Amino acid sequence: MQKEGFTPSRLALADYPISWGHMDYMRHVNNVQYLRFFESARINAFNDWEKEALDTQQFMSGVGIGPIMRSCELAWRYPMRYPDTISVAYKVSWIGEDRFGLKGIIISHNARKVAARIDEVLVTVNYDDGGTYKVQVPEPWQQILNNSLEENKPYVEQ
């Protein structure tokens, strides 16, 4: 995990229990659940990062300028089963003028290894204009994302 820049002590979703309802007919965690785990972790990370963005609008409110998922590439590496517990780590991988990349991993506590990896591209849009036009990442968020990128520090739940 270290070579990817993730540290298990810095998590966006920590010690999350897998429930029976997460499994599918094949008796492993349904593939769509992995996307939901990553979504919950990403929202946790943004909510925490937003606390650093003083004097700005709510970046995650769906009003004004905010991010929208452009694409994601998910790689399943290990079929998890109930019972298990997971943790999810996120980090900023790159920053552009109107978009940025995030990488994440899901760690299975039972298997003690990475169960899935995700590579996401988020674009900033103006939701007040219908969310169809790309806009520059707001300055406070550029700084927050740059700090995270430079420090290579994924989000840590407080």
Side-chain angles (χ1 to χ4, degrees):
M1 283 184 283
Q2 278 297 17
K3 72 177 183 177
E4 293 293 326
F6 292 102
T7 46
S9 63
R10 304 183 71 76
L11 303 170
L13 191 62
D15 301 324
Y16 186 84
I18 298 296
S19 71
W20 180 261
H22 289 132
M23 294 201 314
D24 61 17
Y25 181 74
M26 302 303 287
R27 298 189 324 121
H28 58 73
V29 173
N30 186 291
N31 289 349
V32 75
Q33 295 297 335
Y34 289 77
L35 286 169
R36 290 185 177 132
F37 299 146
F38 279 121
E39 176 185 51
S40 293
R42 183 175 58 254
I43 296 304
N44 286 349
F46 273 115
N47 286 336
D48 189 64
W49 286 333
E50 189 168 56
K51 293 173 190 170
E52 298 178 36
L54 303 175
D55 301 324
T56 66
Q57 74 203 356
Q58 299 291 319
F59 195 55
M60 294 295 293
S61 70
V63 176
I65 296 173
I68 191 166
M69 179 76 68
R70 180 186 182 279
S71 64
C72 70
E73 183 176 328
L74 180 63
W76 291 273
R77 306 197 28 106
Y78 172 77
M80 297 185 300
R81 299 179 191 277
Y82 171 86
D84 199 348
T85 302
I86 63 167
S87 293
V88 183
Y90 257 100
K91 70 175 183 176
V92 177
S93 56
W94 57 271
I95 303 164
E97 183 176 321
D98 61 3
R99 63 194 66 209
F100 54 94
L102 299 175
K103 288 183 182 271
I105 56 173
I106 295 176
I107 303 162
S108 163
H109 291 208
N110 285 355
R112 299 182 62 127
K113 64 181 175 180
V114 173
R117 296 180 184 279
I118 198 163
D119 195 353
E120 303 171 340
V121 176
L122 287 90
V123 175
T124 48
V125 297
N126 188 340
Y127 285 101
D128 292 344
D129 292 338
T132 57
Y133 301 103
K134 297 177 276 190
V135 297
Q136 185 173 355
V137 176
E139 178 57 39
W141 276 93
Q142 288 179 20
Q143 188 62 42
I144 290 167
L145 296 170
N146 273 318
N147 288 346
S148 183
L149 180 64
E150 290 168 11
E151 297 169 13
N152 198 17
K153 69 171 190 184
Y155 165 77
V156 60
E157 189 169 33
Q158 301 295 328

